[in-house]
Amino acid sequence: MANDYAPWDDDFRNLSRRMRARVRDVAGGRVETHTALPLQGCGHFGTEAALRSFLAPGQKILIPQTGQYAERMTRLAREAGRETVPLPVDRNHPASPELIAAALAADRTITHVGLVYSETSTGTIQNAPAIGEIVRAAGRRMILDAVSAFGALPLDVSAQPEIDAVIFTSNKCLEGLPGLCWIVARHDNLLPLGSAGSYSLDLADIHTLAQRDDGGSFRFTPPAQTLAALETAMDFHAAEGGTPARLARYQENARVLYRGMVRLGLQPCLDEADQGPIVVNIHAPPDPSWSLPNFVAALRQRGFVISNFYNTTAPSFRVGCIGHVTPNDMERFVAAVDAALIEIGISQRR
Ligand SMILES: *Cc1c(COP(=O)(O)O)cnc(C)c1O
């Protein structure tokens, strides 16, 4: 990251080319059908770009309302002038593929399904392969938000030809730095140049430039240091054993955390069978002394930083299991939670 880069210089162009090929390969993409398109910014920008570049204005997308990120995808599509069909689902369990099949059968004008693979607001993992199979059988297309999934949860875009676009960022399960998102896209299915209705978010435009110089250039100023850091992060990812090994570590992190919370007398929001390995929400203790800011501050003094907000309906606190964190760190965290609860005066824990 301390290296300076000129975006037009061969050092940077070769880095860009290497990373695009590498990201496409990790997604299972084939060069004949898939391309990895980098876009400056955060994950929402990538989701909006994918929606705009694969759904023509007026086309209709079914979005199972698995949580906050599904709601945001719905809003991004709606405000881009695409028609949305929000499908209510039980947020405490992965959405049932049959429900999605029925919704598609009931409305033949739905062209796409938008799915959040790992719903970071609730901690559930959706059955993306099974839902994809239904989308494929129904002759529709899929946009997959894999922002908190990619690099840990299994994904092979070549085995799921119904997927037009998978969106993720460099800073979640890839454990890189923020500032860059990726869309692994079916280039054979991109809408024509200009259809996105946004020059900044037109993936066809990004793809056109990539074709011209073999993926060496970004259209506008690239987050060069973030891209360079991602190469190192992906070296660590490979050295760990790739996606399966990363998933195994996160699963163990989540298991130690989940069981530790239960041992302390706290109540996780999901049943253990529905609990994904990315983020765990735990019900706030019903004790009148409970204060999330005080709890967060008491943990912070012990060397742990967790969110100072929650996004479940009932009050809770949320803990991430991803990043450069091990089961041993999780054990230490459980002990810190116990001490923090005592410090802020909680006697009733569930
Ligand atoms: C983090 C995340 C995003 C994107 O968030 P940004 O803050 O825009 O990077 C999108 N979807 C899911 C499921 C996420 O976890």
Side-chain angles (χ1 to χ4, degrees):
M1 285 196 75
N3 285 342
D4 205 355
Y5 290 94
W8 41 262
D9 182 68
D10 276 346
D11 272 357
F12 182 78
R13 291 158 74 100
N14 289 330
L15 169 69
S16 173
R17 289 182 183 125
R18 282 197 304 278
M19 291 307 291
R20 292 170 64 125
R22 192 164 177 181
V23 165
R24 186 198 58 228
D25 290 350
V26 171
R30 276 197 293 265
V31 70
E32 312 83 66
T33 40
H34 294 92
T35 181
L37 302 170
L39 178 69
Q40 298 90 333
C42 64
H44 285 87
F45 294 10
T47 303
E48 179 171 350
L51 291 164
R52 285 179 171 274
S53 304
F54 283 97
L55 269 83
Q59 280 194 316
K60 212 180 207 182
I61 185 165
L62 177 80
I63 306 179
Q65 300 294 292
T66 49
Q68 241 174 39
Y69 284 101
E71 286 171 9
R72 291 182 186 180
M73 186 195 273
T74 308
R75 178 170 174 180
L76 291 169
R78 195 179 56 233
E79 294 193 6
R82 276 62 173 172
E83 237 192 286
T84 59
V85 183
L87 178 70
V89 298
D90 177 352
R91 295 188 176 192
N92 291 327
H93 306 279
S96 120
E98 292 73 39
L99 197 67
I100 288 143
L104 290 179
D107 185 348
R108 303 253 151 221
T109 67
I110 293 169
T111 51
H112 293 74
V113 172
L115 184 70
V116 179
Y117 192 175
S118 162
E119 182 45 87
T120 323
S121 62
T122 62
T124 57
I125 303 301
Q126 305 301 318
N127 194 343
I131 293 172
E133 212 174 302
I134 275 163
V135 174
R136 189 156 73 241
R140 322 295 169 90
R141 310 294 307 158
M142 185 145 108
I143 305 285
L144 187 66
D145 170 348
V147 180
S148 70
F150 191 82
L153 293 170
L155 179 73
D156 178 358
V157 290
S158 293
Q160 292 197 255
E162 73 284 0
I163 298 179
D164 273 342
V166 178
I167 304 109
F168 50 92
T169 58
S170 52
N171 59 286
K172 284 192 177 162
C173 302
L174 291 176
E175 301 187 0
L177 289 155
L180 181 61
C181 70
W182 290 90
I183 301 95
V184 172
R186 295 279 312 205
H187 55 69
D188 54 355
N189 213 17
L190 271 167
L191 292 174
L193 215 55
S195 314
S198 159
Y199 179 30
S200 296
L201 300 176
D202 190 350
L203 297 181
D205 200 48
I206 298 178
H207 179 56
T208 303
L209 176 65
Q211 282 177 307
R212 222 163 37 225
D213 82 336
D214 192 27
S217 306
F218 278 58
R219 288 185 307 170
F220 313 125
T221 306
Q225 282 70 25
T226 295
L227 187 65
L230 182 62
E231 184 165 51
T232 302
M234 289 186 77
D235 288 344
F236 289 146
H237 184 262
E240 186 173 1
T243 299
R246 189 145 293 182
L247 178 62
R249 175 163 58 88
Y250 291 170
Q251 280 172 329
E252 188 57 15
N253 286 347
R255 199 182 66 85
V256 168
L257 174 66
Y258 190 101
R259 303 220 167 145
M261 293 298 103
V262 172
R263 204 167 64 233
L264 294 185
L266 292 161
Q267 191 186 359
C269 296
L270 297 178
D271 294 341
E272 198 169 4
D274 294 317
Q275 177 62 62
I278 307 300
V279 61
V280 177
N281 295 318
I282 298 114
H283 283 293
D287 194 291
S289 303
W290 173 254
S291 146
L292 183 59
N294 291 352
F295 180 60
V296 170
L299 283 174
R300 195 172 206 290
Q301 277 189 346
R302 290 168 172 81
F304 296 95
V305 176
I306 66 162
S307 300
N308 65 353
F309 61 91
Y310 61 92
N311 40 29
T312 50
T313 320
S316 65
F317 63 94
R318 62 201 293 263
V319 184
C321 305
I322 66 173
H324 196 63
V325 174
T326 63
N328 186 46
D329 295 320
M330 288 303 192
E331 289 290 6
R332 294 194 303 114
F333 177 75
V334 172
V337 167
D338 196 25
L341 289 173
I342 292 166
E343 182 189 311
I344 67 168
I346 303 295
S347 47
Q348 199 191 346
R349 293 185 172 186
R350 68 186 297 165

